[in-house]
Amino acid sequence: MKTNVHRVNYNKWCSKLSTVLLLGFLVMGKWLIAQKKPNIIFILSDDAGYADFGFQGSKEFKTPRLDEFAKISIRCTQAYVSAAVCGPSRAGFLTGMYQQCFGFEENNVPGYMSLSGLTDDDMGLPLEQKTIGNQLKELGYTTAIFGKWHMGNADRFHPTKRGFDEFYGFRGGSRSFMPYDETNPIDKDENRLEQGFGNFLEHDGYLTDDLADKTNQFIAQHKDRPFFVYLSFNAVHTPMQAMEEDLRQFPNLKGKRKTLAAMTLAMDRACGKVLDQLKKLNLLDNTIIVFTNDNGGPSDTNSSINSPLSGTKANHLEGGVRVPFLISWRGRLKENTVYDYPILLLDMYPTFSAIAGAKVDDMAHLDGVNLLPFLERKNLGRPHNTLFWKKENRGAIRELDWKLIRYPDRPAELYDLSNDIAEAHDLASEYPDKVRVLYKKLFQWELGLERPKWQLLRKFEGKTAERMDAFSAPKIRN
């Protein structure tokens, strides 16, 4: 009888052990699968000039760490944003869709708005839109944003409610790089530094360095699981503020140009800190890293240079919408190479999602595409045949290498970007049929868009035209 009891107890013990082992293997299996997923770091600078990096050809500015990073990256020579100003450009990146599709026209939030639409804290990235943070979190990633949010000031728009586990930064669009105190009073509530939700504080030192340090703390804490970092610098946006030791590195420059060079050097150093952390923790080979910019440089306000491109931030010339772009994935993407077909920041959502294991069918509604087959040269075609831009009655369309720009105050212009990236040769009068075709295609695209949820006061359109004319190549018309 005792033998039978012992046998029953033994069998129960074996059954429990088997269950524990099975659960252990399942947990271990999930952990191993998670470990195979690469980390993702997306670094976005703010208002940088197209030509103001060493890897972009600058002889004045010093960007040694990003130049070093370029040597292990693919440099995309025709990378575009979906808007020529900060907020809507970031909204496009975050959703993988042309932001005009959900009424986020090319106007920042908040701003100098017409009273005919949403204003102030009612403005923000619509709550029904799924962000790349939401997407990657669902796919097993720990997500974080460090720096500028600019997707709405109200609590309901907060990053921690839009797919990001952690937030260290500010809700607005620009703030001081120096700590706020009695000698440097805060100008807007939205520019308060915040950690998590509602925990307001102030940093020490220079903000650009601080954002890199906080990013590195996050990486160290989450190094054993896949993570997604959105390092959203406010550098080199105004206010023009730099550290004295950085200013001393540019004795031959003066004024805003000198300050911008010093601010860019600080941002380069911050990027280098993050790269060093990845190397230190042996994460570099299992991390996809992107460095790019949110729109063209505003040459009149921060002395940035977009050469050889015409135009600046806030207009649809190449200097407003074409940006520097580096992407690295060691062992997967060929290092120190260039990719010359047009890409969009909208492509980051499906690219990161595919890397994380998302199903293709789940991304059919996106305007962006998965870039991996193109960057790996498995698909030799173009990621996009047609690109669009729109702000109220201004707009632009690029189809293959033809680009049409529609204005409110002058006839449309037509350029062949294959041999005129400066947009100096207006071919509209020479190819009137091409103008008509592209004009109609742009309008057909607009018919599928949502009405803008807010708009700038009309007078600011005039200021945009003045800025564009001041920084455009002289026009040569046939």
Side-chain angles (χ1 to χ4, degrees):
M1 188 69 181
K2 284 186 177 180
T3 303
N4 291 336
V5 171
H6 290 160
R7 183 177 293 113
V8 169
N9 290 337
Y10 175 74
N11 289 340
K12 287 182 178 179
W13 180 83
C14 288
S15 177
K16 289 181 180 179
L17 179 61
S18 298
T19 301
V20 170
L21 289 173
L22 178 60
L23 289 173
F25 284 133
L26 288 173
V27 171
M28 180 62 72
K30 287 184 178 181
W31 184 83
L32 290 171
I33 290 170
Q35 286 305 102
K36 290 179 182 178
K37 290 185 177 183
N39 307 306
I40 302 170
I41 297 180
F42 181 77
I43 304 174
L44 191 66
S45 61
D46 192 352
D47 279 8
Y50 184 76
D52 286 338
F53 298 91
F55 67 87
Q56 289 287 98
S58 178
K59 303 300 181 185
E60 290 183 323
F61 282 24
K62 299 176 182 179
T63 54
R65 300 309 308 272
L66 285 170
D67 297 346
E68 175 188 322
F69 176 61
K71 293 177 182 177
I72 63 168
S73 303
I74 296 176
R75 181 171 65 89
C76 295
T77 61
Q78 297 194 66
Y80 288 95
V81 290
S82 58
V85 291
C86 312
S89 170
R90 292 160 189 258
F93 153 68
L94 285 166
T95 61
M97 300 168 62
Y98 284 109
Q99 63 282 350
Q100 297 94 338
C101 292
F102 45 84
F104 201 134
E105 194 85 0
E106 283 197 34
N107 295 307
N108 287 323
V109 297
Y112 307 98
M113 296 295 123
S114 165
L115 296 179
S116 59
L118 299 176
T119 58
D120 301 324
D121 285 354
D122 286 329
M123 301 164 61
L125 182 65
L127 299 180
E128 67 272 14
Q129 296 304 317
K130 184 177 182 178
T131 73
I132 184 61
N134 295 127
Q135 172 81 330
L136 292 177
K137 190 172 179 179
E138 290 174 7
L139 293 168
Y141 280 68
T142 304
T143 59
I145 171 174
F146 299 93
K148 172 175 172 174
W149 177 233
H150 211 196
M151 291 292 103
N153 297 338
D155 288 350
R156 63 184 180 276
F157 299 122
H158 195 270
T160 58
K161 299 184 180 182
R162 307 307 301 272
F164 291 93
D165 295 306
E166 297 190 24
F167 172 55
Y168 178 86
F170 57 99
R171 302 185 192 189
S174 66
R175 61 152 282 158
S176 174
F177 292 86
M178 309 302 181
Y180 288 122
D181 56 25
E182 312 79 48
T183 63
N184 182 32
I186 191 167
D187 53 347
K188 298 176 184 177
D189 241 15
E190 68 205 52
N191 293 335
R192 291 183 297 170
L193 199 61
E194 185 176 10
Q195 185 160 10
F197 178 76
N199 179 27
F200 296 101
L201 67 167
E202 200 47 65
H203 67 99
D204 295 320
Y206 192 67
L207 182 59
T208 304
D209 288 315
D210 183 54
L211 294 177
D213 293 340
K214 292 298 188 295
T215 298
N216 281 351
Q217 290 175 19
F218 173 86
I219 292 172
Q221 290 168 2
H222 299 281
K223 60 184 174 60
D224 296 325
R225 299 280 295 176
F227 58 77
F228 167 57
V229 167
Y230 174 22
L231 178 48
S232 179
F233 287 119
N234 56 315
V236 291
H237 196 292
T238 53
M240 305 298 292
Q241 297 172 335
M243 301 287 285
E244 283 298 325
E245 56 264 38
D246 292 330
L247 287 166
R248 286 195 290 269
Q249 297 298 312
F250 302 95
N252 297 324
L253 297 179
K254 297 180 180 179
K256 288 183 179 179
R257 189 73 182 150
K258 182 186 184 91
T259 306
L260 182 67
M263 294 170 72
T264 304
L265 179 61
M267 181 175 65
D268 179 81
R269 177 175 63 245
C271 292
K273 286 183 178 182
V274 175
L275 293 171
D276 287 343
Q277 178 76 322
L278 294 172
K279 292 176 185 176
K280 176 183 175 182
L281 299 175
N282 295 317
L283 296 174
L284 191 58
D285 289 344
N286 193 41
T287 304
I288 295 111
I289 311 164
V290 171
F291 174 83
T292 187
N293 189 51
D294 63 351
N295 47 247
S299 305
D300 52 341
T301 60
N302 72 358
S303 290
S304 52
I305 293 177
N306 297 315
S307 178
L309 310 177
S310 282
T312 66
K313 175 181 180 176
N315 63 66
H316 296 141
L317 291 165
E318 292 291 284
V321 293
R322 192 188 289 205
V323 293
F325 187 98
L326 301 172
I327 181 169
S328 172
W329 189 2
R330 305 202 74 179
R332 183 75 181 265
L333 298 178
K334 192 172 181 180
E335 300 180 3
N336 201 22
T337 56
V338 297
Y339 185 77
D340 290 325
Y341 279 145
I343 67 167
L344 267 174
L345 257 61
L346 309 186
D347 299 330
M348 297 301 95
Y349 190 119
T351 301
F352 295 162
S353 298
I355 289 168
K359 296 177 181 178
V360 175
D361 292 345
D362 294 340
M363 299 184 285
H365 66 291
L366 300 179
D367 295 308
V369 302
N370 175 14
L371 290 179
L372 275 185
F374 300 95
L375 297 178
E376 292 179 317
R377 301 329 200 252
K378 293 176 181 177
N379 187 331
L380 299 181
R382 290 175 177 245
H384 302 274
N385 288 328
T386 310
L387 305 175
F388 300 98
W389 296 270
K390 178 187 182 299
K391 180 176 183 179
E392 299 182 17
N393 55 356
R394 283 193 287 129
I397 177 174
R398 173 173 176 165
E399 186 168 73
L400 300 179
D401 291 326
W402 288 102
K403 182 178 174 186
L404 175 93
I405 306 179
R406 186 187 66 201
Y407 300 98
D409 64 338
R410 67 199 73 182
E413 295 172 353
L414 180 70
Y415 299 100
D416 178 4
L417 297 180
S418 65
N419 53 37
D420 181 24
I421 63 170
E423 293 168 298
H425 297 266
D426 178 11
L427 303 175
S429 60
E430 187 174 349
Y431 297 96
D433 290 342
K434 178 64 70 174
V435 170
R436 279 191 288 272
V437 169
L438 293 179
Y439 207 107
K440 188 171 183 178
K441 286 186 176 181
L442 176 58
F443 179 66
Q444 288 297 320
W445 173 71
E446 290 173 308
L447 291 179
L449 303 178
E450 182 64 67
R451 286 287 187 184
K453 294 184 181 296
W454 53 80
Q455 292 182 317
L456 279 173
L457 293 171
R458 293 297 295 167
K459 66 180 182 180
F460 292 105
E461 282 291 271
K463 293 184 178 180
T464 296
E466 292 172 6
R467 171 190 271 178
M468 179 186 67
D469 289 340
F471 294 94
S472 299
K475 301 301 179 187
I476 301 170
R477 293 180 172 86
N478 297 332

